[in-house]
């Protein structure tokens, strides 16, 4: 059973398009995250939600909008895609917000914008 | 702002040899430090973490790390590497809200 799953695994699209990446966790966790890993492997947090409430919102362009329909899902919608959005996007989840709670990562979604 | 630095971008080690990966963090209150491993095409997996107490922490897969406050370091070690240890390793520091700040990563290549 996959703990944290993401769909799609690969996404190739053109500049200007709008796309969504879905994340689901079956661990019963309360907190979920989105991270971006660029071509140099640099990994940076984008958002986190706890019980469907936005907790962390880093300096991410407004074109990125997370949506959490329930505790088990955190989707990432990206409007007007740009070349610089090409990256691997990782979803993660943890039991709670505290640092003692391990984050479990999904396998990633590789987004390529052409 | 808190930061994490991994000075080595690549490390090549022979199978069976020892491995040490360096990690330095910026000065701050008691840091919450982590090491993650990312195998090719996979997500990150937690190897070990340090919050307080014993400065030598044991993790999964035979890894250990030592916290040295005087050097602002949290280096990862393994006495004898296996070919399956070839991966990207990330040191990270935690902050409020379980926000992780990652170093740039160190890619480990294992020679037969």
């Amino acid at each position: 059973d996959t703990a944290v799953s993401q769909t799609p695994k690969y996404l190739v699209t053109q500049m200007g398009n709008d796309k969504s990446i879905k994340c689901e966790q079956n661990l019963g966790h309360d907190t979920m995250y989105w991270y971006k890993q660029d071509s140099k492997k640099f990994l940076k947090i984008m958002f986190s939600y706890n019980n469907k409430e936005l907790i962390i919102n880093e300096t991410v362009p407004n074109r990125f909008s997370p949506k959490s329909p329930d505790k088990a899902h955190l989707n990432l919608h990206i409007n007007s895609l740009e070349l610089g959005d090409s990256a691997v996007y990782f979803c993660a989840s943890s039991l709670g917000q505290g640092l003692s709670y391990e984050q479990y990562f999904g396998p990633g979604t590789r987004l390529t914008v052409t | 702002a808190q930061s994490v630095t991994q000075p080595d971008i690549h490390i090549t080690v022979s199978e069976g040899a020892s491995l040490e990966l360096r990690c330095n963090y910026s000065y701050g209150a008691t840091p919450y430090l982590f090491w993650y491993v990312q195998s090719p095409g996979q997500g990150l997996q937690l190897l070990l973490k340090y919050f307080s107490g014993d400065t030598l922490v044991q993790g999964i897969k035979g890894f250990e790390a030592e916290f040295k406050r005087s050097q602002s370091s949290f280096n990862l070690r393994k006495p004898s590497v296996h070919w399956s240890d070839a991966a990207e390793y990330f040191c990270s520091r935690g902050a409020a809200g379980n926000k992780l700040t990652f170093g740039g990563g160190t890619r480990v290549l294992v020679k037969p």
Side-chain angles (χ1 to χ4, degrees):
Chain A
D1 289 343
T2 303
V4 182
S5 60
Q6 296 179 226
T7 52
K9 189 170 177 64
Y10 299 97
L11 182 55
V12 181
T13 188
Q14 292 183 329
M15 286 176 54
N17 286 348
D18 303 339
K19 290 293 178 184
S20 291
I21 305 172
K22 296 185 177 181
C23 177
E24 177 181 4
Q25 54 94 3
N26 62 6
L27 298 168
H29 288 172
D30 285 344
T31 310
M32 297 184 72
Y33 313 80
W34 276 111
Y35 289 85
K36 178 181 179 181
Q37 186 176 45
D38 64 22
S39 58
K40 296 183 178 180
K41 298 283 189 178
F42 183 66
L43 194 63
K44 185 175 169 67
I45 190 167
M46 300 172 69
F47 305 100
S48 81
Y49 270 74
N50 186 66
N51 279 324
K52 302 196 299 175
E53 180 183 349
L54 182 65
I55 301 299
I56 295 173
N57 185 353
E58 290 296 284
T59 50
V60 178
N62 291 337
R63 299 182 295 103
F64 289 79
S65 54
K67 286 185 172 56
S68 182
D70 54 56
K71 284 196 324 182
H73 296 85
L74 180 61
N75 304 324
L76 183 65
H77 188 76
I78 315 171
N79 290 326
S80 303
L81 279 155
E82 301 177 356
L83 292 176
D85 298 332
S86 295
V88 181
Y89 292 84
F90 287 100
C91 177
S93 72
S94 63
L95 191 59
Q97 296 179 66
L99 285 163
S100 62
Y101 296 110
E102 178 180 347
Q103 293 188 31
Y104 292 80
F105 284 76
T109 295
R110 182 175 294 276
L111 171 66
T112 303
V113 182
T114 61
Chain B
Q2 296 180 350
S3 67
V4 177
T5 303
Q6 294 179 244
D8 305 305
I9 297 175
H10 298 281
I11 284 183
T12 300
V13 61
S14 297
E15 193 168 13
S18 63
L19 173 68
E20 181 167 11
L21 304 182
R22 296 184 291 164
C23 173
N24 295 99
Y25 63 91
S26 60
Y27 175 79
T30 301
Y32 296 85
L33 298 167
F34 308 81
W35 274 101
Y36 283 84
V37 60
Q38 182 181 22
S39 298
Q42 302 295 317
L44 279 71
Q45 182 184 22
L46 181 66
L47 286 175
L48 46 78
K49 60 187 177 185
Y50 172 79
F51 290 167
S52 64
D54 193 347
T55 56
L56 186 63
V57 293
Q58 303 297 320
I60 62 171
K61 304 186 180 189
F63 285 92
E64 66 178 24
E66 186 171 11
F67 171 67
K68 293 185 177 180
R69 184 183 296 277
S70 61
Q71 298 178 19
S72 298
S73 69
F74 187 56
N75 294 348
L76 181 72
R77 298 193 293 253
K78 185 168 183 176
S80 176
V81 298
H82 186 261
W83 63 266
S84 60
D85 294 322
E88 191 91 24
Y89 292 81
F90 291 93
C91 182
S92 69
R93 179 173 185 169
N98 211 354
K99 174 183 169 182
L100 298 179
T101 298
F102 288 87
T106 298
R107 174 164 290 181
V108 173
L109 304 174
V110 180
K111 295 190 301 183

